[in-house]
Amino acid sequence: MRLSQSTGTLGLETTQRPAASTFTSAQQEPRETLVRGPTSKVEIDTEKLPDASCSTLPGDGKMFGDSPKNFILLGKFDSARTLSNIQNTTRDIFDILTGEKYVDHPLCEDCTDKLLEVLDTQLIIVDSENEHYKYWRGRICEEEMKTLQEELEGLELEEARLVQELKEVEKKQERVAEDLEAAQAETEMLEQQDKQYWKDYSNLKWQQLELQDELKSMERQLRHAQIQWGRLKKTSVFSATFEIRYDGPVGIINSFRLGCLPTVPVSWKEINMAWGQTALLLLALSNKIGLEFQRYQLIPCGNRSYLKSLTNDPVELPLFCIMRQSTCLDFKFDQAMMAFLDCMQQFKEEAEKGKWGLCLPCRIHVKNGLMEDSGSTGEFYSIRTYLNTEEQWTKALKLMLINLKCSLTWVSLRYQE
């Protein structure tokens, strides 16, 4: 039950608790009193409450009544009405009605009636407010219900849409899960392939490094071979194979001296080796220009080289001599040396043909077995040992080697590839 400020209009002063009060009519007909309450809001003038058949006792301020229904309020009656007293009175009445405060003294019938009237008035006001509240609540609820119904329908549609989207999302999630499993399987496969690829790459890289090393080695070998090839192209095979030089009046071929002097003794073994190298050189030169000798065949065999006659009566002419005390008197040895001059003359005649013909510095006289010095003297030197001196014979051999050296140079230049 709600009490308005109108309950504060009661002029009942209870700030001083009464020592004794009578409560004769408060419990007689309470239901009657509630029914008797006004049906409309009534403002109660609490100024009349002091006229309720009660008076103040003379002397000590006590009150007395004339009728049996009167009550005596002990204590001094204070007619002053303050806001604090009104609030305290209202609070006490409210606590009494709600049962929160125990009343240990009786109320008079008039006070009870007044109190009931106030309560009836408050009840009517509360009922009226309740009706208004229900009315407006009904209107507001209808509008809110309509709005809420529309919102509910919208939410239901939204829920249906979201449910549909959820189903689609679940389907997508299932597809994504399947795709994820497939992607994981593919990832594992790709990882295996990647490992295998890296393994193959490492092997191929190792092979590449080995091949690069081998290639560099081959390039170095190729450069070396090209350098050697360039040197070999510039080098004549004949010049590298046959070295002809001179040591004073004695000619030397491949470190073997061809000839001897009284002051420079040379063994016949070395002379025979020198004749073998000379025969080999002349045969190589003739083969290079494509010459075949007409009357003799050169057969180089080291220190036992010889010439073979191509006539009806083949005879072997040795290009070597057995060791003797002085000169060699072997007639066949002289014939072999003259036959050698014959072969050399054939080479000269063949080499003189063509634009780039050979011109030997020393003329050859085959019939007499002589070598002509084309220098300042113009002398002739016999190649035979018979009736000849060592100086003359050695000079003739030197002139022969000079011609062979010129022939060697000519062939190297002429037939250089």
Side-chain angles (χ1 to χ4, degrees):
M1 182 181 296
R2 185 179 61 183
L3 291 176
S4 64
Q5 294 296 329
S6 60
T7 58
T9 57
L10 286 173
L12 193 59
E13 299 294 338
T14 58
T15 56
Q16 295 180 357
R17 298 295 181 113
S21 300
T22 58
F23 188 59
T24 57
S25 61
Q27 298 179 355
Q28 290 180 358
E29 294 175 356
R31 295 185 179 272
E32 257 179 28
T33 307
L34 291 174
V35 174
R36 284 187 301 168
T39 58
S40 63
K41 184 176 181 180
V42 179
E43 296 292 335
I44 300 173
D45 189 4
T46 58
E47 295 291 337
K48 298 178 181 180
L49 287 178
D51 299 334
S53 300
C54 60
S55 61
T56 306
L57 291 178
D60 54 0
K62 297 182 179 178
M63 299 181 65
F64 65 93
D66 297 332
S67 65
K69 296 181 180 179
N70 295 335
F71 65 91
I72 298 173
L73 180 63
L74 299 179
K76 186 177 178 179
F77 180 78
D78 189 3
S79 61
R81 299 178 59 210
T82 62
L83 179 61
S84 177
N85 292 334
I86 295 171
Q87 291 177 348
N88 291 333
T89 303
T90 304
R91 183 174 63 251
D92 292 338
I93 294 171
F94 184 77
D95 291 339
I96 291 170
L97 293 176
T98 56
E100 293 182 1
K101 185 175 182 180
Y102 177 72
V103 180
D104 55 354
H105 55 81
L107 294 175
C108 65
E109 183 177 358
D110 294 332
C111 291
T112 303
D113 292 338
K114 293 296 182 179
L115 180 61
L116 291 176
E117 287 177 2
V118 172
L119 294 177
D120 288 338
T121 302
Q122 293 299 321
L123 179 61
I124 291 169
I125 294 170
V126 169
D127 289 338
S128 176
E129 290 179 355
N130 191 21
E131 291 295 332
H132 286 288
Y133 173 74
K134 288 181 179 180
Y135 171 75
W136 288 107
R137 182 183 178 186
R139 289 190 60 183
I140 294 172
C141 286
E142 288 179 0
E143 294 176 357
E144 289 181 354
M145 285 298 292
K146 185 176 180 181
T147 304
L148 291 175
Q149 185 66 30
E150 293 177 355
E151 292 181 358
L152 179 62
E153 291 177 358
L155 291 174
E156 287 178 352
L157 293 175
E158 182 70 15
E159 181 184 9
R161 185 182 65 80
L162 292 176
V163 169
Q164 186 65 27
E165 289 182 359
L166 179 61
K167 291 181 180 179
E168 293 178 358
V169 169
E170 289 177 351
K171 291 180 181 179
K172 289 181 180 179
Q173 185 178 5
E174 292 177 357
R175 290 196 298 270
V176 169
E178 294 176 357
D179 295 340
L180 179 61
E181 292 180 358
Q184 289 177 350
E186 186 178 359
T187 302
E188 293 178 357
M189 181 182 67
L190 291 176
E191 288 178 353
Q192 294 294 331
Q193 291 180 357
D194 185 64
K195 291 181 180 178
Q196 185 64 33
Y197 290 157
W198 277 109
K199 185 177 180 180
D200 296 340
Y201 172 78
S202 299
N203 294 331
L204 293 175
K205 190 67 177 179
W206 179 261
Q207 294 178 6
Q208 181 185 7
L209 294 175
E210 290 183 346
L211 291 175
Q212 286 179 351
D213 293 340
E214 186 176 356
L215 177 61
K216 290 180 181 178
S217 177
M218 294 301 295
E219 288 177 351
R220 294 189 187 97
Q221 293 180 11
L222 178 61
R223 285 196 298 269
H224 179 71
Q226 288 175 348
I227 293 171
Q228 294 297 327
W229 172 246
R231 291 177 181 175
L232 290 175
K233 286 175 68 176
K234 296 177 182 179
T235 302
S236 173
V237 178
F238 294 100
S239 299
T241 306
F242 301 97
E243 180 186 6
I244 299 175
R245 56 189 178 86
Y246 313 104
D247 184 10
V250 180
I252 301 174
I253 178 171
N254 290 346
S255 301
F256 297 109
R257 290 174 291 182
L258 186 60
C260 61
L261 293 173
T263 57
V264 184
V266 180
S267 65
W268 279 105
K269 185 177 182 180
E270 184 177 351
I271 294 172
N272 293 336
M273 288 296 299
W275 270 116
Q277 294 296 316
T278 304
L280 180 61
L281 174 58
L282 182 59
L283 180 63
L285 293 175
S286 62
N287 290 334
K288 188 65 178 178
I289 65 175
L291 173 63
E292 293 183 1
F293 298 114
Q294 299 298 322
R295 290 173 289 277
Y296 301 98
Q297 179 182 359
L298 274 173
I299 301 175
C301 294
N303 61 351
R304 288 294 184 269
S305 299
Y306 62 93
L307 286 88
K308 186 176 182 180
S309 176
L310 297 178
T311 59
N312 293 330
D313 187 11
V315 179
E316 292 184 359
L317 303 175
L319 270 176
F320 58 90
C321 184
I322 305 301
M323 293 175 53
R324 296 186 179 182
Q325 296 291 332
S326 58
T327 59
C328 180
L329 301 176
D330 192 347
F331 180 69
K332 287 186 177 181
F333 180 58
D334 287 343
Q335 286 185 338
M337 287 189 290
M338 292 180 66
F340 186 84
L341 287 180
D342 186 7
C343 293
M344 193 172 179
Q345 181 65 25
Q346 293 181 41
F347 174 79
K348 174 182 176 294
E349 293 174 356
E350 183 66 23
E352 286 177 349
K353 297 177 181 180
K355 182 178 180 180
W356 306 99
L358 173 63
C359 182
L360 296 178
C362 301
R363 295 182 62 185
I364 301 172
H365 300 276
V366 178
K367 291 183 179 180
N368 298 324
L370 299 175
M371 294 295 301
E372 181 181 355
D373 187 1
S374 300
S376 59
T377 60
E379 296 181 358
F380 294 90
Y381 299 94
S382 176
I383 199 171
R384 292 180 297 180
T385 59
Y386 182 70
L387 300 176
N388 198 2
T389 63
E390 292 180 350
E391 292 82 356
Q392 296 289 323
W393 181 61
T394 302
K395 182 66 175 179
L397 294 176
K398 181 180 179 181
L399 295 176
M400 182 187 68
L401 288 178
I402 289 173
N403 282 345
L404 285 174
K405 187 174 182 179
C406 291
S407 300
L408 178 64
T409 303
W410 178 82
V411 169
S412 299
L413 296 174
R414 179 68 176 79
Y415 294 94
Q416 183 179 7
E417 296 181 359

